[in-house]
């Protein structure tokens, strides 16, 4: 009997082949590549800071980031990092467009240069913090396999937004034990990631 969990494996695209074909001028490959990251583009374009500043243009600007990712990707680069590479290109394009929009608004409103600079710095910090949070989450997930099974299960549950009580019920553990697994896991993750505070 074939397990259902394996049925979607063939849906995963061959990014390496798509990139190679797209860089060689294949419109079909480029369209397929754009479709692969359509959901991520929509998500990034819908961020409040993007929609407030860019409106309906945000999605097109995010798609421009995907096209630039295809253009800048070098053969031999780690294909497993393609999603992060594309996401960074999209964020860069959105951030650049927001900065330009702010400059236009500043010039039209006759505001002084200091106010414009403060606004630009604030926007940049929001993107930086967002990027740092994503990086930390990715590092934690990468390190989960280095934790004992129960500790990894607890951290996975917490990353999914579950409470200690919910995790305890799923793992058939009392809340105190779950809390202990969480503390030990966090301590080990800090050691693995070199976090001293």
């Amino acid at each position: 009997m074939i397990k259902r969990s394996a049925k979607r494996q063939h849906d995963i695209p061959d990014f390496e082949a798509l990139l190679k074909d797209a860089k060689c001028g294949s419109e079909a490959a480029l369209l397929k590549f754009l479709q692969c990251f359509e959901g991520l583009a929509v998500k990034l374009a819908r961020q409040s800071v993007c929609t407030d500043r860019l409106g309906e243009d945000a999605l097109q600007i995010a798609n421009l980031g995907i096209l630039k990712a295809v253009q800048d990707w070098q053969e031999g680069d780690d294909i497993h990092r393609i999603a992060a590479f594309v996401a960074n290109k999209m964020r860069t394009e959105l951030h650049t467009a927001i900065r330009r929009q702010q400059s236009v608004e500043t010039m039209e409103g006759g505001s002084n240069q200091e106010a414009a600079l403060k606004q630009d710095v604030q926007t940049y910090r929001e993107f930086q913090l967002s990027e740092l949070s994503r990086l930390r989450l990715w590092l934690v997930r990468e390190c989960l396999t280095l934790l004992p099974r129960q500790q990894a299960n607890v951290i996975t549950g917490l990353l999914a937004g579950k409470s200690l009580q919910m995790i305890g019920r799923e793992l058939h553990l009392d809340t105190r034990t779950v809390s202990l697994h969480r503390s030990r896991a966090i301590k080990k993750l800090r050691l693995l990631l070199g976090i001293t505070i």
Side-chain angles (χ1 to χ4, degrees):
M1 185 175 178
I2 299 172
K3 292 185 178 180
R4 290 183 176 267
S5 59
K7 72 175 183 178
R8 290 185 59 87
Q9 286 183 354
H10 66 277
D11 292 336
I12 299 171
D14 184 348
F15 287 120
E16 203 158 13
L18 277 177
L19 279 164
K20 192 176 290 185
D21 291 345
K23 286 177 82 71
C24 289
S26 168
E27 290 186 14
L30 186 58
L31 181 61
K32 176 70 175 172
F33 195 81
L34 282 165
Q35 288 171 344
C36 290
F37 291 96
E38 184 179 10
L40 182 57
V42 170
K43 183 177 178 181
L44 291 175
R46 284 183 178 168
Q47 288 178 347
S48 58
V49 69
C50 295
T51 52
D52 289 348
R53 290 285 172 189
L54 305 174
E56 295 177 359
D57 293 333
L59 183 56
Q60 295 303 320
I61 293 166
N63 284 331
L64 178 61
I66 300 175
L67 296 175
K68 288 199 174 179
V70 171
Q71 181 183 352
D72 294 345
W73 185 263
Q74 299 297 319
E75 193 171 346
D77 289 345
D78 184 3
I79 198 66
H80 300 292
R81 296 282 297 153
I82 187 61
F85 184 77
V86 173
N88 284 336
K89 287 289 181 182
M90 284 192 278
R91 288 188 201 103
T92 299
E93 289 303 311
L94 288 165
H95 180 231
T96 301
I98 289 169
R99 291 181 65 182
R100 287 176 183 155
Q101 181 64 26
Q102 287 173 334
S103 298
V104 169
E105 290 171 0
T106 300
M107 289 173 67
E108 288 177 350
S111 302
N112 61 34
Q113 197 172 4
E114 187 179 340
L117 183 61
K118 283 182 182 177
Q119 195 174 30
D120 194 31
V121 167
Q122 179 60 33
T123 304
Y124 181 68
R125 281 179 180 164
E126 286 174 10
F127 271 82
Q128 264 195 325
L129 289 171
S130 180
E131 179 66 22
L132 184 60
S133 297
R134 278 186 286 273
L135 177 60
R136 283 174 175 164
L137 184 59
W138 179 81
L139 286 170
V140 167
R141 285 177 173 155
E142 287 294 302
C143 291
L144 283 180
T145 55
L146 303 175
L147 295 176
R149 186 174 55 85
Q150 288 289 45
Q151 290 180 19
N153 289 338
V154 170
I155 296 298
T156 301
L158 291 171
L159 291 175
K162 297 176 183 176
S163 66
L164 292 180
Q165 291 78 11
M166 289 173 63
I167 295 169
R169 284 196 294 272
E170 289 177 3
L171 300 178
H172 307 291
L173 300 170
D174 60 81
T175 307
R176 187 172 178 275
T177 304
V178 173
S179 181
L180 185 62
H181 281 312
R182 178 188 62 179
S183 299
R184 288 176 176 171
I186 290 172
K187 185 176 180 181
K188 185 163 185 178
L189 285 170
R190 282 180 170 171
L191 286 171
L192 290 168
L193 298 174
I195 300 171
T196 55
I197 55 171

